[in-house]
Amino acid sequence: MTVPLFEIRPEEHPFAPYIRILGKGKSGSRSLDRMEAATAFGMILRGEVQPMQIGAFLMLLRVKEETGDELAGFVDACRSNMEQPPEGLAADLDWSSYAGKKHQHPWYLLSMRLLADAGYRIFVHGCDGHTAGRLYTEQAMSALGLPVAQNWQQVERQLQVDKLSYLPVRAFCAPLHQLIQLRPLLGLRSPVNTLTRMLNPLGAPASLQSIFHPAYGALHQQADLLLSQPRSMVFK
């Protein structure tokens, strides 16, 4: 008996139109607008999409290359679907740290500590495990005894006492963490690797975003302006 690879239903899946927008050929396809991007990514985060559709969606975006509107919409969806921080919790600087170090030590941790010692509240978020052979921020901070949180309540206490706190994305948006882990399966980075750097979950007035590919700098700036985050330092 042959086991079917997947189930096919006669009615069109609600997510299918978003794949069609991106993949209808050179003359028929287009980018998503911000609302479409937010709706589509929200469906993914809520588990309303089939795994095959997620792969198709992310790789069509990868080939096309995402736009500022699409990234802003994806961030909108993440902010709406993540575990919300306590009311009033705030930071002075949002520091995204997702890539991990391969050849160098994480010297940037010294900058975080210096800023915190100067009285600024530094909130750091990131992810680990998606690329083998890398040293990630969570590992390094834990080894050095720097404050790593497991939930928003711990972040609140750490920012009050230490002025510095790291929270892994799996603690406040587990589906987004799972999407980041797809990189070894797909063999390529996806727009998820870009949008995470713009999350700024506490709405800090300034953010720090490091990139590997210089061409993504302008894209980050476009999305940040759409997200009303003009005080963002984007650098390689």
mmCIF file of all heavy atoms in Angstrom, residues 41-73:
data_model
loop_
_atom_site.group_PDB
_atom_site.id
_atom_site.type_symbol
_atom_site.label_atom_id
_atom_site.label_comp_id
_atom_site.label_asym_id
_atom_site.label_seq_id
_atom_site.Cartn_x
_atom_site.Cartn_y
_atom_site.Cartn_z
ATOM 1 N N PHE A 41 1.550 36.222 6.928
ATOM 2 C CA PHE A 41 2.498 35.780 7.954
ATOM 3 C C PHE A 41 1.778 35.477 9.262
ATOM 4 O O PHE A 41 2.194 34.594 10.014
ATOM 5 C CB PHE A 41 3.590 36.823 8.160
ATOM 6 C CG PHE A 41 4.891 36.233 8.603
ATOM 7 C CD1 PHE A 41 5.681 35.514 7.713
ATOM 8 C CD2 PHE A 41 5.339 36.367 9.903
ATOM 9 C CE1 PHE A 41 6.874 34.946 8.116
ATOM 10 C CE2 PHE A 41 6.540 35.805 10.316
ATOM 11 C CZ PHE A 41 7.313 35.087 9.417
ATOM 12 N N GLY A 42 0.711 36.191 9.536
ATOM 13 C CA GLY A 42 -0.084 35.888 10.719
ATOM 14 C C GLY A 42 -0.681 34.490 10.647
ATOM 15 O O GLY A 42 -0.724 33.761 11.648
ATOM 16 N N MET A 43 -1.126 34.094 9.457
ATOM 17 C CA MET A 43 -1.654 32.735 9.267
ATOM 18 C C MET A 43 -0.571 31.693 9.537
ATOM 19 O O MET A 43 -0.823 30.658 10.153
ATOM 20 C CB MET A 43 -2.201 32.581 7.840
ATOM 21 C CG MET A 43 -3.441 33.393 7.558
ATOM 22 S SD MET A 43 -3.970 33.267 5.822
ATOM 23 C CE MET A 43 -4.511 31.545 5.759
ATOM 24 N N ILE A 44 0.648 31.966 9.088
ATOM 25 C CA ILE A 44 1.762 31.042 9.333
ATOM 26 C C ILE A 44 2.031 30.920 10.825
ATOM 27 O O ILE A 44 2.171 29.812 11.362
ATOM 28 C CB ILE A 44 3.023 31.520 8.588
ATOM 29 C CG1 ILE A 44 2.832 31.396 7.075
ATOM 30 C CG2 ILE A 44 4.243 30.713 9.026
ATOM 31 C CD1 ILE A 44 3.974 31.968 6.261
ATOM 32 N N LEU A 45 2.102 32.040 11.519
ATOM 33 C CA LEU A 45 2.419 32.026 12.950
ATOM 34 C C LEU A 45 1.338 31.324 13.770
ATOM 35 O O LEU A 45 1.625 30.732 14.819
ATOM 36 C CB LEU A 45 2.612 33.458 13.448
ATOM 37 C CG LEU A 45 3.817 34.218 12.889
ATOM 38 C CD1 LEU A 45 3.798 35.664 13.372
ATOM 39 C CD2 LEU A 45 5.124 33.540 13.287
ATOM 40 N N ARG A 46 0.100 31.385 13.314
ATOM 41 C CA ARG A 46 -1.014 30.758 14.043
ATOM 42 C C ARG A 46 -1.213 29.291 13.662
ATOM 43 O O ARG A 46 -2.152 28.652 14.135
ATOM 44 C CB ARG A 46 -2.300 31.548 13.814
ATOM 45 C CG ARG A 46 -2.301 32.936 14.424
ATOM 46 C CD ARG A 46 -3.697 33.557 14.359
ATOM 47 N NE ARG A 46 -4.145 33.755 12.991
ATOM 48 C CZ ARG A 46 -3.881 34.826 12.236
ATOM 49 N NH1 ARG A 46 -3.137 35.813 12.737
ATOM 50 N NH2 ARG A 46 -4.336 34.922 11.004
ATOM 51 N N GLY A 47 -0.371 28.749 12.800
ATOM 52 C CA GLY A 47 -0.480 27.342 12.426
ATOM 53 C C GLY A 47 -1.605 27.041 11.474
ATOM 54 O O GLY A 47 -2.091 25.903 11.436
ATOM 55 N N GLU A 48 -1.998 28.023 10.663
ATOM 56 C CA GLU A 48 -3.116 27.836 9.738
ATOM 57 C C GLU A 48 -2.656 27.472 8.326
ATOM 58 O O GLU A 48 -3.451 27.453 7.399
ATOM 59 C CB GLU A 48 -3.949 29.131 9.694
ATOM 60 C CG GLU A 48 -4.535 29.511 11.036
ATOM 61 C CD GLU A 48 -5.121 30.922 11.065
ATOM 62 O OE1 GLU A 48 -5.109 31.594 10.013
ATOM 63 O OE2 GLU A 48 -5.585 31.345 12.143
ATOM 64 N N VAL A 49 -1.374 27.174 8.173
ATOM 65 C CA VAL A 49 -0.778 26.935 6.867
ATOM 66 C C VAL A 49 -0.074 25.583 6.864
ATOM 67 O O VAL A 49 0.527 25.183 7.864
ATOM 68 C CB VAL A 49 0.229 28.068 6.527
ATOM 69 C CG1 VAL A 49 0.896 27.835 5.185
ATOM 70 C CG2 VAL A 49 -0.479 29.414 6.544
ATOM 71 N N GLN A 50 -0.117 24.880 5.739
ATOM 72 C CA GLN A 50 0.538 23.588 5.605
ATOM 73 C C GLN A 50 2.054 23.771 5.444
ATOM 74 O O GLN A 50 2.507 24.759 4.860
ATOM 75 C CB GLN A 50 -0.020 22.830 4.396
ATOM 76 C CG GLN A 50 -1.494 22.487 4.497
ATOM 77 C CD GLN A 50 -1.787 21.549 5.651
ATOM 78 O OE1 GLN A 50 -1.040 20.594 5.896
ATOM 79 N NE2 GLN A 50 -2.865 21.815 6.363
ATOM 80 N N PRO A 51 2.856 22.811 5.941
ATOM 81 C CA PRO A 51 4.313 22.926 5.813
ATOM 82 C C PRO A 51 4.782 23.148 4.380
ATOM 83 O O PRO A 51 5.704 23.936 4.141
ATOM 84 C CB PRO A 51 4.813 21.589 6.374
ATOM 85 C CG PRO A 51 3.768 21.166 7.347
ATOM 86 C CD PRO A 51 2.473 21.617 6.746
ATOM 87 N N MET A 52 4.168 22.461 3.419
ATOM 88 C CA MET A 52 4.557 22.632 2.026
ATOM 89 C C MET A 52 4.339 24.072 1.579
ATOM 90 O O MET A 52 5.142 24.659 0.835
ATOM 91 C CB MET A 52 3.754 21.688 1.131
ATOM 92 C CG MET A 52 4.096 21.788 -0.355
ATOM 93 S SD MET A 52 3.069 20.722 -1.360
ATOM 94 C CE MET A 52 3.574 19.124 -0.754
ATOM 95 N N GLN A 53 3.267 24.673 2.032
ATOM 96 C CA GLN A 53 2.968 26.052 1.658
ATOM 97 C C GLN A 53 3.975 27.022 2.261
ATOM 98 O O GLN A 53 4.363 28.005 1.628
ATOM 99 C CB GLN A 53 1.551 26.416 2.122
ATOM 100 C CG GLN A 53 0.446 25.657 1.408
ATOM 101 C CD GLN A 53 -0.918 25.985 1.979
ATOM 102 O OE1 GLN A 53 -1.137 25.915 3.182
ATOM 103 N NE2 GLN A 53 -1.838 26.360 1.105
ATOM 104 N N ILE A 54 4.407 26.747 3.487
ATOM 105 C CA ILE A 54 5.405 27.615 4.134
ATOM 106 C C ILE A 54 6.698 27.611 3.332
ATOM 107 O O ILE A 54 7.290 28.661 3.060
ATOM 108 C CB ILE A 54 5.661 27.159 5.582
ATOM 109 C CG1 ILE A 54 4.409 27.337 6.428
ATOM 110 C CG2 ILE A 54 6.832 27.943 6.186
ATOM 111 C CD1 ILE A 54 4.522 26.796 7.835
ATOM 112 N N GLY A 55 7.149 26.412 2.932
ATOM 113 C CA GLY A 55 8.372 26.316 2.143
ATOM 114 C C GLY A 55 8.252 27.059 0.826
ATOM 115 O O GLY A 55 9.170 27.792 0.428
ATOM 116 N N ALA A 56 7.132 26.889 0.138
ATOM 117 C CA ALA A 56 6.921 27.562 -1.143
ATOM 118 C C ALA A 56 6.905 29.077 -0.960
ATOM 119 O O ALA A 56 7.537 29.822 -1.730
ATOM 120 C CB ALA A 56 5.613 27.091 -1.774
ATOM 121 N N PHE A 57 6.213 29.538 0.056
ATOM 122 C CA PHE A 57 6.087 30.963 0.332
ATOM 123 C C PHE A 57 7.446 31.596 0.620
ATOM 124 O O PHE A 57 7.820 32.617 0.022
ATOM 125 C CB PHE A 57 5.138 31.148 1.520
ATOM 126 C CG PHE A 57 4.845 32.579 1.885
ATOM 127 C CD1 PHE A 57 3.964 33.338 1.130
ATOM 128 C CD2 PHE A 57 5.422 33.159 3.011
ATOM 129 C CE1 PHE A 57 3.669 34.651 1.484
ATOM 130 C CE2 PHE A 57 5.138 34.463 3.366
ATOM 131 C CZ PHE A 57 4.255 35.211 2.602
ATOM 132 N N LEU A 58 8.207 30.985 1.510
ATOM 133 C CA LEU A 58 9.493 31.554 1.903
ATOM 134 C C LEU A 58 10.490 31.546 0.749
ATOM 135 O O LEU A 58 11.253 32.499 0.565
ATOM 136 C CB LEU A 58 10.066 30.789 3.100
ATOM 137 C CG LEU A 58 9.295 30.911 4.418
ATOM 138 C CD1 LEU A 58 9.965 30.066 5.502
ATOM 139 C CD2 LEU A 58 9.182 32.359 4.868
ATOM 140 N N MET A 59 10.495 30.484 -0.047
ATOM 141 C CA MET A 59 11.466 30.405 -1.137
ATOM 142 C C MET A 59 11.077 31.295 -2.323
ATOM 143 O O MET A 59 11.946 31.825 -3.021
ATOM 144 C CB MET A 59 11.649 28.958 -1.578
ATOM 145 C CG MET A 59 12.361 28.103 -0.539
ATOM 146 S SD MET A 59 14.047 28.709 -0.110
ATOM 147 C CE MET A 59 13.736 29.683 1.381
ATOM 148 N N LEU A 60 9.786 31.492 -2.559
ATOM 149 C CA LEU A 60 9.376 32.457 -3.585
ATOM 150 C C LEU A 60 9.810 33.867 -3.189
ATOM 151 O O LEU A 60 10.282 34.645 -4.025
ATOM 152 C CB LEU A 60 7.857 32.408 -3.786
ATOM 153 C CG LEU A 60 7.331 31.222 -4.600
ATOM 154 C CD1 LEU A 60 5.810 31.153 -4.514
ATOM 155 C CD2 LEU A 60 7.769 31.336 -6.064
ATOM 156 N N LEU A 61 9.667 34.174 -1.925
ATOM 157 C CA LEU A 61 10.140 35.468 -1.432
ATOM 158 C C LEU A 61 11.655 35.581 -1.551
ATOM 159 O O LEU A 61 12.183 36.639 -1.903
ATOM 160 C CB LEU A 61 9.725 35.659 0.031
ATOM 161 C CG LEU A 61 8.263 36.004 0.290
ATOM 162 C CD1 LEU A 61 7.931 35.785 1.759
ATOM 163 C CD2 LEU A 61 7.968 37.447 -0.103
ATOM 164 N N ARG A 62 12.341 34.492 -1.278
ATOM 165 C CA ARG A 62 13.810 34.493 -1.342
ATOM 166 C C ARG A 62 14.291 34.761 -2.760
ATOM 167 O O ARG A 62 15.220 35.540 -2.978
ATOM 168 C CB ARG A 62 14.333 33.141 -0.841
ATOM 169 C CG ARG A 62 15.863 32.995 -0.900
ATOM 170 C CD ARG A 62 16.514 33.922 0.108
ATOM 171 N NE ARG A 62 17.954 33.703 0.177
ATOM 172 C CZ ARG A 62 18.855 34.270 -0.621
ATOM 173 N NH1 ARG A 62 18.450 35.090 -1.579
ATOM 174 N NH2 ARG A 62 20.138 34.021 -0.477
ATOM 175 N N VAL A 63 13.661 34.124 -3.740
ATOM 176 C CA VAL A 63 14.052 34.309 -5.142
ATOM 177 C C VAL A 63 13.703 35.711 -5.610
ATOM 178 O O VAL A 63 14.495 36.385 -6.284
ATOM 179 C CB VAL A 63 13.380 33.247 -6.031
ATOM 180 C CG1 VAL A 63 13.621 33.558 -7.511
ATOM 181 C CG2 VAL A 63 13.905 31.860 -5.695
ATOM 182 N N LYS A 64 12.505 36.175 -5.259
ATOM 183 C CA LYS A 64 12.049 37.501 -5.672
ATOM 184 C C LYS A 64 12.810 38.600 -4.947
ATOM 185 O O LYS A 64 13.076 39.665 -5.508
ATOM 186 C CB LYS A 64 10.546 37.634 -5.384
ATOM 187 C CG LYS A 64 9.953 38.999 -5.684
ATOM 188 C CD LYS A 64 8.518 39.087 -5.205
ATOM 189 C CE LYS A 64 8.444 39.236 -3.692
ATOM 190 N NZ LYS A 64 8.992 40.534 -3.219
ATOM 191 N N GLU A 65 13.169 38.331 -3.707
ATOM 192 C CA GLU A 65 13.741 39.272 -2.741
ATOM 193 C C GLU A 65 12.641 40.159 -2.154
ATOM 194 O O GLU A 65 11.870 40.790 -2.872
ATOM 195 C CB GLU A 65 14.859 40.123 -3.348
ATOM 196 C CG GLU A 65 16.065 39.289 -3.765
ATOM 197 C CD GLU A 65 17.251 40.142 -4.181
ATOM 198 O OE1 GLU A 65 17.104 41.380 -4.288
ATOM 199 O OE2 GLU A 65 18.333 39.568 -4.396
ATOM 200 N N GLU A 66 12.577 40.178 -0.840
ATOM 201 C CA GLU A 66 11.502 40.853 -0.128
ATOM 202 C C GLU A 66 11.597 42.371 -0.272
ATOM 203 O O GLU A 66 12.666 42.915 -0.522
ATOM 204 C CB GLU A 66 11.510 40.457 1.348
ATOM 205 C CG GLU A 66 12.807 40.720 2.079
ATOM 206 C CD GLU A 66 13.791 39.576 2.050
ATOM 207 O OE1 GLU A 66 13.855 38.857 1.022
ATOM 208 O OE2 GLU A 66 14.514 39.398 3.036
ATOM 209 N N THR A 67 10.469 43.019 -0.097
ATOM 210 C CA THR A 67 10.401 44.482 -0.161
ATOM 211 C C THR A 67 10.259 45.052 1.247
ATOM 212 O O THR A 67 9.961 44.331 2.207
ATOM 213 C CB THR A 67 9.212 44.938 -1.005
ATOM 214 O OG1 THR A 67 7.987 44.560 -0.330
ATOM 215 C CG2 THR A 67 9.238 44.320 -2.393
ATOM 216 N N GLY A 68 10.412 46.358 1.361
ATOM 217 C CA GLY A 68 10.216 47.013 2.645
ATOM 218 C C GLY A 68 8.805 46.837 3.159
ATOM 219 O O GLY A 68 8.583 46.615 4.354
ATOM 220 N N ASP A 69 7.815 46.929 2.270
ATOM 221 C CA ASP A 69 6.412 46.752 2.666
ATOM 222 C C ASP A 69 6.176 45.342 3.192
ATOM 223 O O ASP A 69 5.462 45.154 4.183
ATOM 224 C CB ASP A 69 5.493 47.020 1.476
ATOM 225 C CG ASP A 69 5.219 48.495 1.268
ATOM 226 O OD1 ASP A 69 4.631 49.124 2.162
ATOM 227 O OD2 ASP A 69 5.594 49.025 0.207
ATOM 228 N N GLU A 70 6.748 44.355 2.523
ATOM 229 C CA GLU A 70 6.567 42.979 2.975
ATOM 230 C C GLU A 70 7.190 42.768 4.356
ATOM 231 O O GLU A 70 6.562 42.178 5.243
ATOM 232 C CB GLU A 70 7.185 42.017 1.957
ATOM 233 C CG GLU A 70 6.361 41.909 0.681
ATOM 234 C CD GLU A 70 7.063 41.159 -0.429
ATOM 235 O OE1 GLU A 70 8.310 41.106 -0.433
ATOM 236 O OE2 GLU A 70 6.357 40.632 -1.318
ATOM 237 N N LEU A 71 8.395 43.251 4.538
ATOM 238 C CA LEU A 71 9.046 43.096 5.841
ATOM 239 C C LEU A 71 8.270 43.793 6.949
ATOM 240 O O LEU A 71 8.109 43.252 8.045
ATOM 241 C CB LEU A 71 10.469 43.636 5.773
ATOM 242 C CG LEU A 71 11.475 42.778 5.003
ATOM 243 C CD1 LEU A 71 12.793 43.514 4.858
ATOM 244 C CD2 LEU A 71 11.688 41.434 5.688
ATOM 245 N N ALA A 72 7.781 44.998 6.665
ATOM 246 C CA ALA A 72 6.993 45.716 7.667
ATOM 247 C C ALA A 72 5.727 44.933 8.022
ATOM 248 O O ALA A 72 5.340 44.852 9.189
ATOM 249 C CB ALA A 72 6.636 47.110 7.153
ATOM 250 N N GLY A 73 5.096 44.341 7.012
ATOM 251 C CA GLY A 73 3.900 43.534 7.261
ATOM 252 C C GLY A 73 4.209 42.293 8.082
ATOM 253 O O GLY A 73 3.439 41.920 8.978
#
